[in-house]
Amino acid sequence: MGTTLPDAIRPVRYAPPPGVTGEIELTSLARMRARGGPREFIAPQRLDFDLLIRVESGSTVHTVDFTGYPLEPGDLIWVRAGQVQQWGAIDDIEGPVFLFTPSAIDTGTWELIRSAGVVTPNHWATTTVAGTPAAAALDAAQATAATPVPSAA
C-alpha cells in the first residue's frame, strides 16, 4: 500500500561505453564493476541483453530466475534477456564478460539449437565446459578481443 519493496526488480538496458559499437561487447568483471559503481550490483535486475560470464578466479553464488548457482573458476553463467538475476559477491570473482543483444544470435541459429535438442542452461560447471567447442570458442573470442587493432583499421 504505497510502500516500495527494497528488493524490487530493476530493469537494466544495454548501454555500451563510448567507442563500443555493434551488438556484442567483451569486457571484464573488473571493468563492469568500475563502470557500474558499487550500488549497481545490489538489487535484483531484469536484463534486456544477454550476459555470459566465465569465472577465472574466485567464487560466489549468482542467482538467475531465483535459483542460486555456485560459481567456481572455469564455470560459465549465462543470463538471457528477460531473466531476473541477483549478483552474489561480485567483488570476489574475476573473469571475462560477454554482453550481447538478443538479436546477436539470429533466429536461424536458435532454431538450429532447438531442433538439435541442445539444452542451453544458465550454468555450466568447469567439468562440463572444459575441452568442448564452447570453451574453444570463448578462448578464441578472448584472444581476438585482446589483439590490438591496427590504427589504420
Side-chain angles (χ1 to χ4, degrees):
M1 303 202 261
T3 60
T4 343
L5 295 173
D7 292 336
I9 298 169
R10 184 174 59 82
V12 178
R13 300 209 177 286
Y14 178 59
V20 173
T21 57
E23 298 183 70
I24 301 172
E25 175 188 351
L26 175 58
T27 188
S28 67
L29 284 163
R31 285 191 296 257
M32 268 184 49
R33 287 191 302 266
R35 188 164 91 193
R39 295 183 50 81
E40 175 66 25
F41 307 101
I42 296 171
Q45 304 170 329
R46 184 180 310 275
L47 306 179
D48 80 343
F49 55 92
D50 285 41
L51 170 79
L52 179 66
I53 301 169
R54 178 156 85 182
V55 178
E56 289 183 340
S57 65
S59 61
T60 190
V61 174
H62 193 91
T63 303
V64 180
D65 284 345
F66 310 102
T67 299
Y69 296 101
L71 299 179
E72 300 290 335
D75 288 3
L76 294 176
I77 188 87
W78 183 0
V79 183
R80 288 183 267 304
Q83 290 188 301
V84 174
Q85 73 163 353
Q86 174 95 39
W87 291 94
I90 188 173
D91 291 333
D92 291 354
I93 56 173
E94 294 298 340
V97 179
F98 297 82
L99 307 171
F100 51 99
T101 64
S103 60
I105 300 176
D106 64 82
T107 305
T109 301
W110 276 120
E111 288 173 8
L112 182 62
I113 289 169
R114 280 191 287 276
S115 69
V118 175
V119 176
T120 55
N122 290 108
H123 176 254
W124 290 273
T126 188
T127 54
T128 308
V129 178
T132 67
L138 290 170
D139 290 340
Q142 277 183 261
T144 302
T147 304
V149 177
S151 60

